């Protein structure tokens, strides 16, 4: 098995793992656990997983004084992005929500052009128009009814806040913090926010169905730990741009789960809209300069990085 094949396989696993959010979140939401409590559980289990990963890789936990406040603000951004996405599931289907969330690379491109004056080429403009067309086709659900505007607004806010987060982590002092440490503190600050809204009756709901505990644990394991590890390994084998493009597996996985597991409808119009959005984002990643904003995991495993350089 060649390194290239391993790299692409790991890239697919990383993206598909991240796309498993609906599989684990929807059963908890359907059981009566509110979005704040669901995210508290996800972040609560993710923190020790990330801490163990840091210890295993020889990373320290120390921060400089000037890094604490920016990390707290990033934690608020990440928490807001997660919350708006999960709440959107109650208004629109997970398939459409996950696809609309995938426009965040386009929003990163727009932010970089508007704020940092990065050049926008013809291909970028065409990709934005292509994505807009796809989103227009997604405006109606599988039954033809107009989708709830609240759900569309929530998932757009989720994508926008995540895009702002991706730009921010590549600026100033945040750029100097290894990704694993940064992710740990971002999730820890987000956990503190959700703790204030955590409902104690959640324990009763989970105790009535032990499988819900598995869903809560899996939310942290697959979209966080497995996705980060596989993404890092894939980058070292095939590079960051191919791995970013393989990120298209995120909405594909979420759509497949929504249809096969939760029996959401998929019409030809929705299929075309989803395909246009995924194609436009894939093209903008392949032809743009935003890859380093989307994948900042090269710093996560420094020993592996140095070993890879020696191989080259």
């Amino acid at each position: 098995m060649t390194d290239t094949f391993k790299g692409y396989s790991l890239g697919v696993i990383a993206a598909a793992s991240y796309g498993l959010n609906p599989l684990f979140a929807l059963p908890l939401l359907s059981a009566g656990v509110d979005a704040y409590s669901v995210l508290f559980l996800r972040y609560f289990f993710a923190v020790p997983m990330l801490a163990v990963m840091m210890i295993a890789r020889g990373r320290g936990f120390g921060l400089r004084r000037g890094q604490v406040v920016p990390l707290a603000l990033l934690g608020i951004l990440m928490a807001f992005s997660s919350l708006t996405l999960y709440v959107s599931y109650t208004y629109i289907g997970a398939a459409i929500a996950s696809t609309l969330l995938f426009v965040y690379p386009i929003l990163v491109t727009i932010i970089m052009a508007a704020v940092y004056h990065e050049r926008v080429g013809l291909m970028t403009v065409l990709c934005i128009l292509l994505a807009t067309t796809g989103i227009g086709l997604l405006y109606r659900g599988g039954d033809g009814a107009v989708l709830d505007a609240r759900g569309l607004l929530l998932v757009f806010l989720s994508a926008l806040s995540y895009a702002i987060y991706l730009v921010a982590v590549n600026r100033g002092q945040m750029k100097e913090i290894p990704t694993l440490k940064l992710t740990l503190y971002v999730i820890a600050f987000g956990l503190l926010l959700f703790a204030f809204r955590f409902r104690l009756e959640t324990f009763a709901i989970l105790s009535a169905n032990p499988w819900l505990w598995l869903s809560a644990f899996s939310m942290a394991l697959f979209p966080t730990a497995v996705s980060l590890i596989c993404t890092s390994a894939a980058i070292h084998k095939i590079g960051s741009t191919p791995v970013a493009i393989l990120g298209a597996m995120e909405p594909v996985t979420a759509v497949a789960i929504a249809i096969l597991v939760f029996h959401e409808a998929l019409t030809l119009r929705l299929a075309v809209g989803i395909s246009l959005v995924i194609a436009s984002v894939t093209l903008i990643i392949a032809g743009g300069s935003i890859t380093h904003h989307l994948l900042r995991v090269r710093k996560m495993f420094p020993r592996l990085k140095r070993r890879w350089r020696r191989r080259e």
Side-chain angles (χ1 to χ4, degrees):
M1 185 181 297
T2 65
D3 278 348
T4 300
F5 179 80
K6 290 179 182 178
Y8 278 99
S9 299
L10 288 167
V12 170
I13 293 172
S17 297
Y18 194 81
L20 292 176
N21 266 308
L23 179 62
F24 305 124
L26 289 177
L28 290 164
L29 293 170
S30 299
V33 182
D34 68 296
Y36 287 96
S37 299
V38 170
L39 286 165
F40 173 84
L41 293 171
R42 177 184 176 183
Y43 281 36
F44 178 80
F45 286 123
V47 167
M49 290 181 188
L50 293 170
V52 169
M53 291 168 64
M54 284 187 63
I55 294 171
R57 298 295 169 178
R59 287 292 191 185
F61 291 88
L63 292 173
R64 293 201 297 270
R65 182 177 300 177
Q67 294 174 336
V68 176
V69 173
L71 281 172
L73 294 175
L74 288 176
I76 293 173
L77 271 176
M78 179 60 78
F80 182 75
S81 178
S82 300
L83 179 64
T84 48
L85 175 64
Y86 278 28
V87 175
S88 74
Y89 289 158
T90 64
Y91 296 104
I92 59 177
I96 294 177
S98 300
T99 302
L100 293 178
L101 177 68
F102 193 59
V103 303
Y104 66 83
I106 291 180
L107 296 179
V108 170
T109 302
I110 294 173
I111 292 171
M112 295 304 299
V115 179
Y116 298 102
H117 310 292
E118 284 200 359
R119 180 177 173 272
V120 176
L122 178 60
M123 175 60 74
T124 300
V125 175
L126 292 176
C127 287
I128 293 173
L129 293 175
L130 192 66
T132 303
T133 302
I135 292 171
L137 292 174
L138 297 176
Y139 186 63
R140 293 180 181 273
D143 58 359
V146 176
L147 294 176
D148 195 312
R150 291 171 294 181
L152 296 175
L153 176 61
L154 285 167
V155 75
F156 172 77
L157 291 174
S158 178
L160 178 61
S161 55
Y162 189 54
I164 296 172
Y165 169 86
L166 289 173
V167 173
V169 297
N170 286 281
R171 298 285 162 177
Q173 292 190 60
M174 297 299 97
K175 192 174 182 179
E176 302 172 3
I177 303 176
T179 301
L180 186 54
K181 181 192 289 188
L182 183 142
T183 304
L184 171 65
Y185 281 105
V186 164
I187 291 181
F189 280 116
L191 175 63
L192 293 177
L193 291 176
F194 293 128
F196 290 105
R197 293 291 300 270
F198 180 75
R199 294 168 54 187
L200 294 178
E201 55 263 34
T202 299
F203 292 120
I205 297 174
L206 269 59
S207 298
N209 184 355
W211 286 106
L212 294 178
W213 281 109
L214 179 61
S215 293
F217 181 80
S218 298
M219 274 194 305
L221 177 63
F222 291 101
T224 305
V226 171
S227 182
L228 285 174
I229 292 172
C230 290
T231 298
S232 179
I235 285 176
H236 286 293
K237 292 183 181 298
I238 60 176
S240 56
T241 299
V243 175
I245 293 173
L246 288 173
M249 285 300 299
E250 295 172 15
V252 170
T253 302
V255 169
I257 289 171
I259 295 169
L260 299 176
V261 178
F262 300 106
H263 308 294
E264 293 187 7
L266 180 67
T267 64
L268 177 61
R269 176 176 47 77
L270 292 182
V272 172
I274 290 170
S275 299
L276 289 177
V277 171
I278 293 174
S280 64
V281 174
T282 302
L283 288 172
I284 208 169
I285 293 172
S289 58
I290 64 167
T291 301
H292 68 286
H293 290 281
L294 306 182
L295 293 168
R296 238 202 70 191
V297 294
R298 283 189 183 275
K299 299 179 183 178
M300 190 185 304
F301 298 100
R303 298 193 187 102
L304 182 59
K305 182 179 179 181
R306 289 195 291 269
R307 190 181 308 124
W308 177 253
R309 281 179 175 172
R310 286 197 296 270
R311 288 180 183 175
E312 294 179 333

